[in-house]
Amino acid sequence: MNTNTMSQEHAKSSSKIRTIAQIGMLGAISVILMLFEIPLPFAPSFYEIDFSEVPVLVGCFAMGPAAGAAIELIKILLNFAINGTITAGVGELANFLLGCSFVVPAGIIYKKMHTRKGAIIGMLTGTIIMTIFGCFLNAFVLLPAYGKAFGMPIEALVGMGSAVNPYVTSLLTFALFAVAPFNIIKGVIDSLIVFLIYKKIRPIFKMQH
């Protein structure tokens, strides 16, 4: 093995180690950000916005969609280890899928269109996909799981929505008038933060695109 080959192998090894470290770091930051939640006036108290997808989206843009999915998984696993679960893991799995539905499409589009316009299109697409997927996921997985975990019928959960949002009268309207705007706001806020900070922090990752 010549010196040039050894140098290339060393560079690849260093790059992999750096990538793994960055994925772990962003996952840890995401878990911390999950602790800071903001309630919304049109949704029940168990729907609160946090900014934990910001580091995930940053990782997606800096290292690719696969890295973003890995960061999302680390975030969910660390949170599970620290706080446990009240839905036998169903809620955590759903949150992982929901987070990936936002960041992975954004990362894929940005990888193909590596421009500011590509980033905007990617984040907009991710927000739309997350919103649509979130409605189905909440209606058919999350809300039933929460109802079972707390021993509450679906009607009781709908009633909690109706108490803060008069447009919520059924599971369908819960998804349309509470879950959908929740995910839209979350996607827009997270996208705006990443749009404002990514150019400044990108050199930290020292990634070659």
Side-chain angles (χ1 to χ4, degrees):
M1 184 179 293
N2 59 42
T3 304
N4 187 44
T5 302
M6 292 179 62
S7 178
Q8 289 177 349
E9 290 295 328
H10 178 72
K12 288 181 180 179
S13 178
S14 297
S15 178
K16 288 180 180 179
I17 294 172
R18 184 172 64 245
T19 298
I20 293 172
Q22 290 169 349
I23 288 173
M25 176 191 69
L26 290 172
I29 294 173
S30 294
V31 173
I32 294 172
L33 290 177
M34 289 182 77
L35 301 175
F36 303 95
E37 298 179 319
I38 303 173
L40 295 174
F42 56 80
S45 58
F46 51 87
Y47 283 93
E48 295 182 318
I49 282 183
D50 62 56
F51 305 110
S52 63
E53 303 302 338
V54 170
V56 185
L57 190 55
V58 167
C60 246
F61 283 175
M63 294 174 280
I71 297 167
E72 186 73 36
L73 180 61
I74 289 172
K75 180 190 81 171
I76 296 299
L77 292 177
L78 284 176
N79 185 64
F80 180 85
I82 295 170
N83 298 317
T85 179
I86 58 172
T87 59
V90 175
E92 285 70 29
L93 175 61
N95 286 336
F96 169 73
L97 295 175
L98 193 60
C100 286
S101 73
F102 172 47
V103 301
V104 171
I108 291 173
I109 292 174
Y110 182 67
K111 189 174 183 179
K112 293 182 177 180
M113 300 174 57
H114 203 68
T115 62
R116 179 173 292 188
K117 180 180 178 181
I120 294 173
I121 293 174
M123 292 186 290
L124 178 60
T125 301
T127 298
I128 293 172
I129 292 174
M130 177 177 66
T131 300
I132 296 172
F133 183 54
C135 287
F136 285 99
L137 199 61
N138 276 268
F140 297 108
V141 179
L142 280 180
L143 290 174
Y146 286 140
K148 187 176 181 179
F150 290 108
M152 299 172 62
I154 293 297
E155 292 75 15
L157 291 173
V158 172
M160 293 176 67
S162 302
V164 296
N165 188 337
Y167 294 103
V168 175
T169 57
S170 64
L171 199 57
L172 176 61
T173 54
F174 195 115
L176 291 176
F177 298 113
V179 176
F182 171 86
N183 284 316
I184 290 172
I185 292 173
K186 178 178 176 63
V188 169
I189 292 177
D190 288 347
S191 297
L192 182 60
I193 293 173
V194 172
F195 183 78
L196 293 174
I197 69 172
Y198 181 68
K199 187 176 180 179
K200 295 180 180 179
I201 66 174
R202 179 182 168 185
I204 297 174
F205 295 92
K206 299 179 181 178
M207 299 301 297
Q208 298 295 325
H209 300 282

